[in-house]
């Protein structure tokens, strides 16, 4: 497991698993690195950057898949928003309101 984009969530953290490229997941880990939750993403997504919205929804940049996506940690629902072909989404930020 090689966490990449990491954001704090209270006493825990969410991270993207981009490497190796077949991992494609978002994970929640505790301060000791223990896995608390995993949300698998579509093959070829290549999640890189990650942000948490005020409502708790996770937003990620899919570098390999030319997508921006959102994931609900409570329902495990994942939504993909395609970008222009050959886009290279790396970082993502969400408004605080």
């Amino acid at each position: 497991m090689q966490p990449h984009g990491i954001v704090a969530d209270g006493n825990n953290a969410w991270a993207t698993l981009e490497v190796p490229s077949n991992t494609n997941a978002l994970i929640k880990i505790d301060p000791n690195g223990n896995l608390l939750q995993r949300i698998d993403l579509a093959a070829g997504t290549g999640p890189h950057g990650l942000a948490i919205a005020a409502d708790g929804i996770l937003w990620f940049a899919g570098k390999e898949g030319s997508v921006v996506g959102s994931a609900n940690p409570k329902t495990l629902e994942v939504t993909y928003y395609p970008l222009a072909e050959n886009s290279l989404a790396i970082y993502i930020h969400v408004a605080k309101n």
Side-chain angles (χ1 to χ4, degrees):
M1 181 168 64
Q2 297 177 355
H4 191 72
I6 301 171
V7 292
D9 182 18
N11 291 328
N12 300 305
W14 280 96
T16 59
L17 291 182
E18 177 187 18
V19 177
S21 62
N22 64 349
T23 308
N24 295 300
L26 307 177
I27 59 167
K28 186 174 187 177
I29 52 178
D30 70 14
N32 296 317
N34 298 308
L35 181 65
L36 301 175
Q37 186 176 359
R38 178 184 174 120
I39 302 172
D40 289 315
L41 304 176
T45 299
H48 191 86
L50 183 64
I52 304 174
D55 60 2
I57 299 297
L58 304 170
W59 287 88
F60 59 90
K63 186 170 88 173
E64 288 180 36
S66 297
V67 298
V68 168
S70 64
N72 184 323
K74 293 180 183 172
T75 66
L76 304 180
E77 180 180 354
V78 178
T79 305
Y80 299 91
Y81 303 91
L83 302 173
E85 189 175 339
N86 297 318
S87 294
L88 192 61
I90 296 178
Y91 301 109
I92 189 163
H93 298 275
V94 295
K96 297 291 183 189
N97 50 13

